[in-house]
Amino acid sequence: KLQELAQCLAEGSVPLSWDKDWEGPEQISAWLKGIVNRTVALHTWLDLSQKDTLLKGKLRLNELFRPQTFLNALRQETAQKSGIALDELILDCQWGEGHVLPSAQLSIQIEGLNIQGVKFEHGKLVELSADSPSVNVAPVCNLAWVQTQQDFKHLVSCPAYFSGTREKHLCDLLVPCQGDHS
């Protein structure tokens, strides 16, 4: 077993037994950097949680080892606070600073999301021009589990992934768009 670990490390790859704990990058140097960055961030999250201010500030899901677990915990907390059954809650969002979901019992602000192939302009998705970068930073996303989702008119459901490789789906987010979104 130790020999297998040593061989993987010598080849610059992540040992399979380590990858089961966190599905990060395949290169060992990037994987270790990700472990360190997330560990440091989690200490900050813990401090904020102990001060009861974690959900009041902007959060970055890429600081978590398992962002899906965090979203599920938010769903459970929302169900408990609102008295609504878990299976009746739907993930909803509003984009931009100061935007809120009026029907949300509990919401969070997510920053650091990237969007590919389009960009936000005046609060809506628009097509890229030929000279635009293909990946753009999305505005702050106000995210909440609600019982009734906002009207789908001029909204498109976009998949959110754990990383830019789009190998693992995290959730779908509603995004405002212009024109026909079929």
Side-chain angles (χ1 to χ4, degrees), residues 17-164:
S17 61
W18 293 8
D19 195 48
K20 290 177 184 174
D21 293 328
W22 174 57
E23 295 178 37
E26 292 180 13
Q27 291 282 345
I28 190 64
S29 59
W31 191 88
L32 289 171
K33 183 178 177 183
I35 289 284
V36 170
N37 290 342
R38 282 165 178 78
T39 302
V40 169
L42 285 177
H43 283 288
T44 302
W45 281 53
L46 179 60
D47 289 342
L48 293 171
S49 178
Q50 289 171 342
K51 296 174 186 170
D52 201 27
T53 59
L54 177 64
L55 302 182
K56 295 177 179 143
K58 294 178 186 135
L59 304 173
R60 299 177 77 84
L61 293 179
N62 65 346
E63 293 179 340
L64 298 172
F65 289 102
R66 303 197 189 285
Q68 185 68 51
T69 302
F70 175 75
L71 291 180
N72 284 333
L74 181 68
R75 186 179 194 183
Q76 291 173 358
E77 183 71 14
T78 301
Q80 185 177 27
K81 284 188 174 193
S82 65
I84 300 169
L86 271 175
D87 60 352
E88 292 180 26
L89 292 172
I90 304 162
L91 191 62
D92 203 358
C93 64
Q94 285 284 335
W95 296 88
E97 294 280 342
H99 289 92
V100 295
L101 293 156
S103 63
Q105 186 78 19
L106 181 64
S107 65
I108 57 172
Q109 294 180 66
I110 303 296
E111 68 178 356
L113 296 175
N114 292 323
I115 192 158
Q116 186 174 10
V118 292
K119 65 180 179 179
F120 272 89
E121 198 171 271
H122 307 294
K124 295 185 181 211
L125 281 186
V126 294
E127 292 182 39
L128 295 176
S129 59
D131 60 344
S132 297
S134 65
V135 176
N136 294 279
V137 176
V140 170
C141 179
N142 299 284
L143 201 63
W145 290 95
V146 297
Q147 190 170 26
T148 307
Q149 209 165 30
Q150 58 186 315
D151 184 17
F152 276 97
K153 187 175 182 183
H154 301 293
L155 294 174
V156 63
S157 181
C158 291
Y161 297 95
F162 284 87
S163 69

